[in-house]
């Protein structure tokens, strides 16, 4: 048993059952937990993300950053912010493109919000020596600076914890995780929630993410105050629905969410309708939700792939095409082109943005 699993079981044994939200938060963000103790990417890790599949992903976001800056009236300075930058691959690919726009490059500052010390190290090695722009790291969004800004979040919101409620005959009970001395198990809070009135059938599960919704509201207020744009890319769904999307992935396989706590990546699909609603309450402009396929096609993924292929050998051409296909395929609902969605939240004067037409 890992040191974290041992600590967690003792904690639950002493304090009593904890909510799914607390479990997810502890497993991912505890100093002995998942993100603090490993590099989870790549073939030897647990998962792979879009920028790790193809350099074109980050490059197109570099183009998006230039277009955003132009729609702001080409201000003297721009703050480029990434939330959860992983290995720094997306930012590195985007900066290679942004660097070509001299007047933007001169006034650019990069800010990265990252909780993992291991991944911060990767980001520093990847970015500091390659790009002559100021780069700053933050533990949370609380310390982000003001000024015109473009914020990017790819697979960041899915890591924010969810709460589960299950409909019983007396009302909604919160799902909890307890420890019986041997294993971690799901249970329910003994009393129903007094203020929950959502209509549903017995056994239905309601998954909500108040922490995500509050985060998006803070970010929407930020883009509103500083004439900025926030681009959210993640896997999720556009219409509210009942069900449980809480999942654990280890070594590219789905595993039991309660087995090996702190050793698997825990996420839940993003409810984009809840994000859009929370952001709109601030007065920020919220785009329509588009699939990753439609967004990347509108941003020119095929033209860029053709350009790269022109200078590549047959092996490299195959790799480029396979990468693009993986990012935009929507043959199955679980393919990245369909499952992943893109939403922008912006100052109303900057609406509409490229990729959403
Ligand atoms: C699934 S990875 C995505 C990485 C990157 N955006 C990409 O597309 O490759 C999630 C990233 O968010 C970071 N992260 C997760 N929760 C965080 C939090 N609460 N605050 C800051 N960073 C967080 C992780 O350390 C990691 O860098």
């Amino acid at each position: 048993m890992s040191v974290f699993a041992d600590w967690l079981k003792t904690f639950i044994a002493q304090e009593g059952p904890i909510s799914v939200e607390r479990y997810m938060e502890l497993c991912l963000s505890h100093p002995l937990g998942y993100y603090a103790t490993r590099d989870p990417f790549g073939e030897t890790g647990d998962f792979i993300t879009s920028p790790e599949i193809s350099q074109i992903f980050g490059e197109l976001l570099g183009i998006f950053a230039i277009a955003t800056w132009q729609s702001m009236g080409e201000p003297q300075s721009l703050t480029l912010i990434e939330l959860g930058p992983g290995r720094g691959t997306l930012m590195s690919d985007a900066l290679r493109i942004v660097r070509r726009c001299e007047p933007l490059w001169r006034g650019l500052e990069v800010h990265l919000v990252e909780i993992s010390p291991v991944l911060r190290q990767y980001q520093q090695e990847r970015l500091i020596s390659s790009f002559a722009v100021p780069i700053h790291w933050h533990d949370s969004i609380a310390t982000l600076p003001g000024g015109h800004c473009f914020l990017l979040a790819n697979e960041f919101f899915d890591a924010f914890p969810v709460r589960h409620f299950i409909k019983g005959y007396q009302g909604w009970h919160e799902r909890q995780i307890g420890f019986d001395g041997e294993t971690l198990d799901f249970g329910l809070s003994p009393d129903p929630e007094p203020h929950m009135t959502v209509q549903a059938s017995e056994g239905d599960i309601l998954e909500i993410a108040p922490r995500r919704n509050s985060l998006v509201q803070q970010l929407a207020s930020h883009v509103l105050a500083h004439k900025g744009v926030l681009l959210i890319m993640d896997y999720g769904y556009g219409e509210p629905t009942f069900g449980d999307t809480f999942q654990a992935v280890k070594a590219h396989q789905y595993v039991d969410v309660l087995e090996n706590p702190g050793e698997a990546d825990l996420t839940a699909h993003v409810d984009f309708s809840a994000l859009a609603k929370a952001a709109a309450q601030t007065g920020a402009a919220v785009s329509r939700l588009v699939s990753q396929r439609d967004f990347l096609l509108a941003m020119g993924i095929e033209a860029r792939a053709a350009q790269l292929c022109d200078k590549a050998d047959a092996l490299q051409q195959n790799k480029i095409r396979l990468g693009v296909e993986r990012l935009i395929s929507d043959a199955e609902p679980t393919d990245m082109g369909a499952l992943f969605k893109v939403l922008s939240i912006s100052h109303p004067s900057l609406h509409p943005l490229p990729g959403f037409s």
Side-chain angles (χ1 to χ4, degrees):
M1 190 166 23
S2 72
V3 180
F4 173 75
D6 202 21
W7 174 86
L8 183 72
K9 286 174 180 171
T10 308
F11 176 76
I12 296 176
Q14 285 171 354
E15 302 287 318
I18 58 175
S19 65
V20 172
E21 185 183 56
R22 185 92 173 106
Y23 176 77
M24 211 172 151
E25 183 196 24
L26 287 170
C27 289
L28 292 177
S29 311
H30 188 276
L32 298 169
Y34 185 73
Y35 274 119
T37 54
R38 73 206 61 225
D39 167 19
F41 289 86
E43 276 172 30
T44 54
D46 297 323
F47 55 78
I48 187 158
T49 56
S50 298
E52 304 291 335
I53 292 171
S54 169
Q55 70 181 72
I56 305 178
F57 187 83
E59 290 175 348
L60 295 179
L61 293 171
I63 292 171
F64 191 96
I66 296 172
T68 299
W69 172 75
Q70 285 169 334
S71 69
M72 289 170 180
E74 306 191 359
Q76 279 198 335
S77 58
L78 180 79
T79 311
L80 178 55
I81 300 165
E82 189 178 354
L83 309 172
R87 281 180 167 175
T89 308
L90 190 167
M91 185 52 75
S92 167
D93 292 334
L95 288 179
R96 264 201 332 276
I97 298 297
V98 172
R99 184 163 57 186
R100 298 184 190 186
C101 179
E102 230 290 302
L104 166 56
W105 190 249
R106 253 183 283 141
L108 192 75
E109 264 195 19
V110 175
H111 290 259
L112 304 172
V113 180
E114 177 58 70
I115 44 164
S116 160
V118 181
L119 292 175
R120 258 188 202 209
Q121 181 78 29
Y122 262 95
Q123 294 152 20
Q124 283 163 355
E125 282 163 17
R126 190 80 183 255
L127 300 171
I128 288 177
S129 58
S130 305
F131 299 101
V133 280
I135 308 181
H136 305 272
W137 275 264
H138 301 260
D139 293 329
S140 79
I141 64 163
T143 49
L144 287 176
H148 288 90
C149 55
F150 172 40
L151 295 103
L152 272 168
N154 185 57
E155 287 206 45
F156 178 71
F157 279 85
D158 62 58
F160 274 72
V162 291
R163 295 178 73 178
H164 281 174
F165 295 91
I166 302 186
K167 184 77 164 59
Y169 74 97
Q170 285 182 315
W172 290 97
H173 295 259
E174 180 147 20
R175 197 181 219 179
Q176 297 181 323
I177 292 156
F179 180 58
D180 63 6
E182 297 248 321
T183 53
L184 292 169
D185 278 311
F186 282 118
L188 291 177
S189 63
D191 298 320
E193 295 292 314
H195 305 299
M196 274 183 74
T197 54
V198 183
Q199 293 300 309
S201 309
E202 222 175 295
D204 277 344
I205 300 178
L206 184 66
E207 184 175 87
I208 58 169
R211 300 262 307 276
R212 259 188 219 152
N213 300 340
S214 133
L215 174 76
V216 85
Q217 271 197 336
Q218 291 172 60
L219 294 168
S221 301
H222 190 87
V223 299
L224 206 53
H226 302 289
K227 203 172 178 190
V229 171
L230 162 66
L231 196 68
I232 302 173
M233 310 180 81
D234 225 311
Y235 44 91
Y237 49 96
E239 297 297 329
T241 176
F242 290 116
D244 166 6
T245 72
F246 183 31
Q247 64 186 36
V249 171
K250 180 151 189 57
H252 303 269
Q253 305 288 328
Y254 290 107
V255 294
D256 188 319
V257 290
L258 301 184
E259 229 170 72
N260 302 318
E263 298 293 309
D265 185 33
L266 298 180
T267 59
H269 287 212
V270 172
D271 176 356
F272 279 97
S273 64
L275 289 192
K277 192 170 157 199
Q281 281 167 0
T282 66
V286 179
S287 73
R288 71 189 182 92
L289 187 65
V290 298
S291 67
Q292 174 160 297
R293 175 187 175 80
D294 288 348
F295 179 79
L296 294 179
L297 285 174
M299 290 302 299
I301 192 168
E302 285 176 323
R304 178 61 179 145
Q307 203 181 38
L308 287 175
C309 282
D310 276 349
K311 294 185 200 135
D313 61 28
L315 204 67
Q316 289 166 327
Q317 286 180 359
N318 196 37
K319 195 168 169 252
I320 293 165
R321 291 204 186 99
L322 284 176
V324 168
E325 186 49 28
R326 191 161 170 198
L327 293 185
I328 65 172
S329 171
D330 63 355
E332 298 290 332
T334 50
D335 284 357
M336 291 184 91
L339 183 61
F340 281 69
K341 318 273 190 302
V342 189
L343 187 78
S344 77
I345 293 159
S346 58
H347 189 278
S349 66
L350 306 173
H351 196 67
L353 292 156
F356 293 91
S357 48

